[in-house]
Amino acid sequence: IISEQPWGPEQASGFFQQGLASSVGSQVARLSASILQGFQCQEASQLPRAQFSSLVREMQKQNAILNARQLSCMANLLALHNLTSDFADYPSDLLLFYDLRQVDEAKCRAFISRASQGNLNLLSGLSAQKRELLNVSLTCLGNPGTNLSKEDLSSLGGLVCDMEPAVILESDPHIIDNLKRCSQLTARQRDALNALLHSGATSLGAPGSWNLGRLWSLGPLAFYINSTLWKMVNKEVSKDFFRDVVARYQAGSLPRSRVQSFVDSFLAQELSISRANQETGRRCSRGNITAQVIQDELFMVRYDCKQLKSCLGSKVLKANLNPLLQHPLPRECQRVVKGKLSEIYPGGVPEDQLKLITSLVYLYTNDEIGHWNITSGDTVVALLGSDVAMENQTQAIIKKYLELNGTVTGALLVAIGGFRLCWMSPWQIEAIRPVELRWAGALDISSCAQDRKDDLYEKAKEAFSGSNGTITYYHYIRPYLGGAPVEDLKHLSRANISMDIDTFTSLNPEVLQNLSLSNVAKLLGRNVGDLWKARSNPAVSFWLQSQNQSALAALGLEDTPKQLRPNPATTGKPLPTWITDKGHKSSASPSEHITLAATSGCCVLAPLHLFSALGLPIGPILLMKHL
């Protein structure tokens, strides 16, 4: 039953909390991926070495999806148990959080080849660690410069995404396969990609020879093709691709943001052709828009926004609003539709139609939303669930709903998402009943302004205060700790919670500066070494600089860290200047870049009397000393 029943994240977390170590720790192989996703650090730390090793290997076999917080903890526990050398049997995502000092020079290529296949977006909150991984990888490859070979590219995987545009242009054309792994490309990287595709040097050949299959073989890169390059592609092929994109978008298999940028680029070249070949002006020259016309996937190619305004009648719009808005309309066309709806519904869009205009919500003012009749939580979810409503619209929609005796339920909180809580006004947050926030569970409010974090923390503290024990309380309150005051954090530091680094970096920066080294060491526990991975975080950097450097050095957090292996000095080559951090070059030497990326494993270096002075448990440290 355990291995077959599908579990949600919260259920899986509850399973781990309720006693993994005491009940089924010896039967790890029976656990399914849906259960393994609930991995909890505190409970997993109680497993004996052999069982923990089996658990990590099972994560790889079951292809369990874990978040950065879980993976960072797992990497630290591997170091604690001296199990890091078996990286070939572990999930590639896990390797991203390794203490990079543990990478043996003789195995560095195998390590980076595996680590680079991981989801590098998991390191979005640890930019220093991500940069460190790239630097170590390049050193391992002998610092090959901007001309990366096919073999180099195979080893580097998605790490190529953080390199300068020159690398795209000068490396082996197989770099296309690496770029497909990038969540996004900078504007300059996109220009370089288009130049590479224009050259015809890739396996796709010249743009004029592309067919539909070759276009789709580009994967997400096809959506970066610019209007100049689209003009070189066979017209029928490009239209077939556009038709496919719209059909997949309408089926929900392509995200709005990706499709929207593609549509804008594609239609830009179509519009230039249209302007050259057709009359301009207000009159309808393409023929009246009918229901059948709207059903055509090439509707946007055949009708630009001016023609949409001239050729779309009110009756047709009212009867076909849903299929029309199923097209990824350019913003100008969306404004046309909104204007026509205002003519049809001068008193405000009726509630039964609101669920159909979710893609237009960002265009409406607070005053216009004030005329809507929002009585259903489902309407709120629909309007906010499309991710196009901004802060003003979010507050206005929730305000109208509450004015009409609506209730912010736990289900509604989950549906609208944690980040939208950031846009609720203080009185709207106050209107949330504690029981509903407790039902909603962990909501990500990391993007909130500090005053909203403070408000939500007080609400969460009230909601979870009745939890059974400090550890259970911490599990619930953790997402809201960004609003916690100093005294509350000091209280938690005495509970052996081993706070993860993501939660730590979300703390109020002013509060963080009022925590002593002892407070922080107790809060982070076995994760204290992760401070070095987060050293690029401004608040963490400032805190580190304000501490006694000798005490930091004892924890492996010194300002001048030890050289990582493999030693770049043996290569005889300086670190290249073409690594980018969101477009910024770096010309620092290897010794400046390739620095200590410590996890809890670093704490072997610290004298035992320091842990005693800080109030940290000595048992695990003695174990590490023996390992």
Side-chain angles (χ1 to χ4, degrees), residues 3 307 310 489 527 557 566:
S3 61
Q307 287 294 296
S310 301
L489 292 172
N527 300 321
L557 302 172

Side-chain angles (χ1 to χ4, degrees), residues 243-262:
R243 183 183 286 109
D244 274 4
V245 168
V246 172
R248 296 187 189 195
Y249 170 77
Q250 293 174 339
S253 60
L254 289 176
R256 178 186 300 275
S257 58
R258 179 175 294 174
V259 172
Q260 202 66 61
S261 61
F262 157 74

Side-chain angles (χ1 to χ4, degrees), residues 502-580:
D502 278 355
T503 301
F504 183 79
T505 56
S506 74
L507 299 179
N508 184 338
E510 293 184 7
V511 170
L512 173 57
Q513 302 313 315
N514 289 311
L515 292 175
S516 67
L517 178 59
S518 174
N519 296 148
V520 169
K522 290 177 182 177
L523 264 180
L524 294 175
R526 71 177 69 86
N527 300 321
V528 68
D530 285 348
L531 280 170
W532 189 253
K533 294 178 184 177
R535 65 192 181 279
S536 58
N537 179 283
V540 173
S541 175
F542 188 78
W543 182 86
L544 287 170
Q545 293 172 24
S546 68
Q547 301 305 307
N548 179 285
Q549 297 303 305
S550 297
L552 287 176
L555 288 173
L557 302 172
E558 63 269 32
D559 273 343
T560 307
K562 292 180 174 62
Q563 188 76 34
L564 279 172
R565 292 185 299 159
N567 188 344
T570 62
T571 68
K573 299 180 182 179
L575 195 73
T577 62
W578 42 267
I579 303 169
T580 179

Side-chain angles (χ1 to χ4, degrees), residues 146-176:
T146 56
N147 187 2
L148 301 177
S149 67
K150 183 178 178 181
E151 183 181 9
D152 292 336
L153 293 169
S154 177
S155 296
L156 290 169
L159 291 170
V160 169
C161 301
D162 288 321
M163 296 182 181
E164 287 288 341
V167 178
I168 297 175
L169 293 171
E170 298 174 22
S171 296
D172 185 283
H174 280 87
I175 195 170
I176 290 290

Side-chain angles (χ1 to χ4, degrees), residues 366 384 391-403 406-409 413 416 420-433 452 455-456 459:
N366 289 6
L384 300 183
E391 182 170 1
N392 288 343
Q393 288 92 10
T394 297
Q395 288 190 8
I397 289 168
I398 296 176
K399 177 175 181 291
K400 189 65 179 180
Y401 175 62
L402 293 177
E403 285 177 352
T407 302
V408 180
T409 64
L413 289 172
I416 66 177
R420 293 198 181 280
L421 291 180
C422 306
W423 292 346
M424 294 176 72
S425 65
W427 77 267
Q428 289 173 345
I429 292 175
E430 183 59 33
I432 301 173
R433 293 185 299 167
R452 291 296 186 275
D455 293 339
L456 286 165
K459 178 63 65 172

Side-chain angles (χ1 to χ4, degrees), residues 290-609:
T290 64
Q292 185 176 2
V293 169
I294 293 174
Q295 294 292 337
D296 185 357
E297 288 88 355
L298 292 178
F299 166 68
M300 288 180 289
V301 175
R302 292 168 178 161
Y303 287 84
D304 62 26
C305 298
K306 289 182 178 179
Q307 287 294 296
L308 177 67
K309 186 174 184 179
S310 301
C311 303
L312 180 61
S314 297
K315 289 184 178 180
V316 174
L317 172 59
K318 189 174 181 179
N320 296 276
L321 181 59
N322 187 48
L324 176 63
L325 293 181
Q326 290 301 306
H327 288 276
L329 298 174
R331 291 185 176 231
E332 183 184 349
C333 293
Q334 290 179 331
R335 292 188 183 94
V336 169
V337 175
K338 187 215 170 197
K340 288 182 176 290
L341 286 173
S342 297
E343 296 173 1
I344 298 172
Y345 304 113
V349 181
E351 185 164 18
D352 65 334
Q353 297 294 294
L354 289 178
K355 296 178 183 179
L356 305 180
I357 66 165
T358 57
S359 60
L360 307 180
V361 173
Y362 75 99
L363 295 172
Y364 285 86
T365 65
N366 289 6
D367 184 59
E368 289 172 321
I369 294 173
H371 289 88
W372 291 353
N373 191 41
I374 306 175
T375 63
S376 167
D378 290 341
T379 303
V380 177
V381 171
L383 290 170
L384 300 183
S386 62
D387 291 342
V388 299
M390 303 303 290
E391 182 170 1
N392 288 343
Q393 288 92 10
T394 297
Q395 288 190 8
I397 289 168
I398 296 176
K399 177 175 181 291
K400 189 65 179 180
Y401 175 62
L402 293 177
E403 285 177 352
L404 298 175
N405 298 317
T407 302
V408 180
T409 64
L412 182 59
L413 289 172
V414 172
I416 66 177
F419 81 97
R420 293 198 181 280
L421 291 180
C422 306
W423 292 346
M424 294 176 72
S425 65
W427 77 267
Q428 289 173 345
I429 292 175
E430 183 59 33
I432 301 173
R433 293 185 299 167
V435 66
E436 300 297 346
L437 189 62
R438 188 179 182 93
W439 188 95
L443 298 171
D444 182 6
I445 64 167
S446 58
S447 61
C448 288
Q450 190 57 55
D451 57 347
R452 291 296 186 275
K453 287 183 178 180
D454 295 345
D455 293 339
L456 286 165
Y457 173 74
E458 291 302 322
K459 178 63 65 172
K461 186 176 178 181
E462 181 183 2
F464 303 126
S465 59
S467 301
N468 183 22
T470 306
I471 297 298
T472 302
Y473 171 72
Y474 171 72
H475 172 74
Y476 289 115
I477 200 69
R478 181 192 58 76
Y480 306 95
L481 287 175
V486 172
E487 289 308 313
D488 288 8
L489 292 172
K490 287 182 178 179
H491 176 75
L492 281 175
S493 73
R494 295 189 286 270
N496 190 28
I497 59 173
S498 290
M499 179 182 287
D500 62 278
I501 197 64
D502 278 355
T503 301
F504 183 79
T505 56
S506 74
L507 299 179
N508 184 338
E510 293 184 7
V511 170
L512 173 57
Q513 302 313 315
N514 289 311
L515 292 175
S516 67
L517 178 59
S518 174
N519 296 148
V520 169
K522 290 177 182 177
L523 264 180
L524 294 175
R526 71 177 69 86
N527 300 321
V528 68
D530 285 348
L531 280 170
W532 189 253
K533 294 178 184 177
R535 65 192 181 279
S536 58
N537 179 283
V540 173
S541 175
F542 188 78
W543 182 86
L544 287 170
Q545 293 172 24
S546 68
Q547 301 305 307
N548 179 285
Q549 297 303 305
S550 297
L552 287 176
L555 288 173
L557 302 172
E558 63 269 32
D559 273 343
T560 307
K562 292 180 174 62
Q563 188 76 34
L564 279 172
R565 292 185 299 159
N567 188 344
T570 62
T571 68
K573 299 180 182 179
L575 195 73
T577 62
W578 42 267
I579 303 169
T580 179
D581 183 7
K582 296 299 180 184
H584 298 293
K585 289 185 178 180
S586 172
S587 57
S589 67
S591 61
E592 292 171 317
H593 270 309
I594 301 179
T595 49
L596 178 64
T599 64
S600 61
C602 73
C603 299
V604 175
L605 304 176
L608 294 181
H609 67 79

